[in-house]
Coordinates of all heavy atoms in Angstrom, one line a residue:
T30 N -15.8 39.8 -8.5 CA -14.9 40.5 -7.7 C -15.5 41.9 -7.3 O -16.4 42.4 -8.1 CB -13.5 40.7 -8.3 OG1 -12.5 41.1 -7.4 CG2 -13.5 41.7 -9.5
Q31 N -15.0 42.6 -6.3 CA -15.5 43.9 -5.9 C -17.1 44.0 -5.6 O -17.6 45.0 -5.8 CB -15.2 44.9 -6.8 CG -13.5 45.1 -7.0 CD -13.2 46.3 -7.9 OE1 -12.9 46.0 -9.0 NE2 -13.1 47.5 -7.4
F54 N -7.1 40.9 1.8 CA -6.1 41.2 0.8 C -6.1 39.9 -0.1 O -6.5 38.8 0.3 CB -4.8 41.4 1.5 CG -4.6 42.8 1.9 CD1 -5.1 43.3 3.1 CD2 -3.9 43.8 1.1 CE1 -5.0 44.5 3.6 CE2 -3.8 45.0 1.5 CZ -4.3 45.4 2.7
A60 N -1.1 41.4 2.6 CA -1.7 41.9 3.9 C -0.6 42.4 4.8 O -0.7 43.5 5.4 CB -2.5 40.8 4.6
F70 N 5.8 52.8 7.5 CA 7.2 52.5 7.4 C 7.8 53.2 6.3 O 7.3 53.4 5.2 CB 7.5 51.0 7.1 CG 7.2 50.0 8.2 CD1 6.8 50.4 9.4 CD2 7.5 48.6 8.0 CE1 6.7 49.5 10.5 CE2 7.5 47.7 9.1 CZ 7.0 48.2 10.3
L118 N 15.9 47.5 20.6 CA 15.1 48.7 20.4 C 16.1 49.8 20.2 O 17.1 49.9 20.9 CB 14.3 49.0 21.6 CG 13.1 48.0 21.9 CD1 12.5 48.3 23.3 CD2 12.1 48.3 20.8
P127 N 5.9 40.3 16.2 CA 6.0 38.9 16.6 C 5.2 38.0 15.6 O 4.3 38.4 15.0 CB 5.4 38.8 18.1 CG 4.5 40.0 18.1 CD 5.1 41.1 17.1
R142 N 3.6 45.7 26.3 CA 4.1 46.6 27.4 C 5.5 47.2 26.6 O 5.8 48.4 27.0 CB 4.6 45.7 28.5 CG 3.4 45.3 29.4 CD 3.9 44.8 30.8 NE 4.5 43.4 30.7 CZ 3.8 42.2 30.5 NH1 2.4 42.4 30.5 NH2 4.4 41.1 30.4
I152 N 2.5 44.7 15.6 CA 1.9 44.1 14.3 C 2.2 42.6 14.4 O 3.4 42.2 14.4 CB 2.6 44.7 13.1 CG1 2.4 46.2 13.0 CG2 2.1 44.1 11.8 CD1 3.2 46.9 11.9
D154 N 2.1 38.9 13.2 CA 2.0 38.0 12.0 C 1.4 36.8 12.6 O 2.0 35.8 13.1 CB 3.4 37.7 11.3 CG 3.2 36.8 10.2 OD1 2.1 36.0 10.1 OD2 4.1 36.7 9.3
G169 N -6.4 38.3 16.8 CA -7.0 39.1 15.8 C -7.6 40.4 16.5 O -8.0 41.4 15.9
F177 N -3.5 37.7 8.8 CA -3.9 36.2 8.5 C -3.5 35.9 7.2 O -3.6 36.7 6.2 CB -5.4 36.0 8.9 CG -5.8 36.1 10.2 CD1 -6.9 36.9 10.7 CD2 -5.1 35.4 11.3 CE1 -7.2 37.1 12.0 CE2 -5.5 35.6 12.6 CZ -6.5 36.4 13.0
K183 N -3.5 26.7 5.7 CA -3.8 27.4 6.9 C -5.2 27.1 7.5 O -5.8 26.1 7.1 CB -3.8 29.1 6.5 CG -2.5 29.5 6.1 CD -1.3 29.3 7.0 CE 0.1 29.8 6.6 NZ 0.4 30.1 5.3
D198 N -9.6 53.0 13.1 CA -10.2 53.5 11.9 C -9.2 54.0 10.9 O -9.3 53.8 9.7 CB -11.3 54.7 12.1 CG -12.4 54.2 13.0 OD1 -12.6 52.9 13.2 OD2 -13.3 55.1 13.5
E223 N -4.2 58.9 -4.2 CA -3.5 59.7 -3.1 C -2.2 59.0 -2.7 O -1.4 59.7 -2.1 CB -4.4 59.8 -1.9 CG -5.7 60.6 -2.2 CD -6.5 60.8 -1.0 OE1 -6.5 60.1 0.0 OE2 -7.4 61.8 -1.0
A291 N 18.9 17.5 21.5 CA 20.2 18.0 20.8 C 21.0 16.8 20.3 O 21.5 17.1 19.2 CB 20.9 18.8 21.9
Y315 N 11.3 26.8 10.2 CA 11.7 27.5 9.0 C 13.2 27.5 9.0 O 13.8 27.6 10.1 CB 11.2 28.9 9.0 CG 9.7 29.0 8.7 CD1 8.9 29.2 9.8 CD2 9.2 28.9 7.4 CE1 7.5 29.3 9.6 CE2 7.8 29.0 7.2 CZ 7.1 29.2 8.3 OH 5.7 29.3 8.1
H321 N 18.9 33.2 4.3 CA 18.6 33.2 2.9 C 19.6 34.2 2.2 O 19.9 35.2 2.6 CB 17.2 33.7 2.6 CG 16.2 32.5 3.0 ND1 16.1 31.3 2.3 CD2 15.3 32.5 4.0 CE1 15.2 30.6 2.8 NE2 14.7 31.2 3.9
L323 N 19.3 36.5 -0.1 CA 18.9 37.9 -0.1 C 19.5 38.6 1.1 O 20.0 39.8 1.1 CB 17.4 37.9 -0.2 CG 16.8 39.4 0.0 CD1 17.2 40.4 -1.1 CD2 15.3 39.3 0.2
L333 N 23.7 35.2 14.1 CA 23.0 36.1 14.7 C 22.1 35.9 15.8 O 22.0 36.5 17.0 CB 22.4 36.9 13.6 CG 21.5 38.2 13.9 CD1 22.5 39.3 14.2 CD2 20.7 38.6 12.7
E357 N -4.3 7.4 9.7 CA -3.2 7.9 9.0 C -2.1 8.5 10.0 O -0.8 8.3 9.9 CB -3.6 9.1 8.2 CG -4.2 8.7 6.9 CD -5.0 9.8 6.1 OE1 -5.5 10.7 6.7 OE2 -5.1 9.6 4.9
L362 N 3.2 7.9 13.2 CA 3.8 7.4 14.3 C 4.7 6.2 14.2 O 5.8 6.1 14.6 CB 3.0 7.3 15.4 CG 2.3 8.7 16.0 CD1 1.0 8.5 16.8 CD2 3.3 9.5 16.8
A363 N 4.1 5.2 13.6 CA 4.7 3.9 13.4 C 5.9 4.1 12.6 O 7.1 3.5 12.8 CB 3.8 2.8 12.9

Side-chain angles (χ1 to χ4, degrees):
T30 192
Q31 293 182 272
F54 278 84
F70 281 9
L118 291 168
R142 285 191 290 280
I152 303 175
D154 182 338
F177 293 127
K183 301 297 187 340
D198 296 350
E223 292 185 338
Y315 289 99
H321 288 293
L323 169 69
L333 184 64
E357 286 169 329
L362 286 165

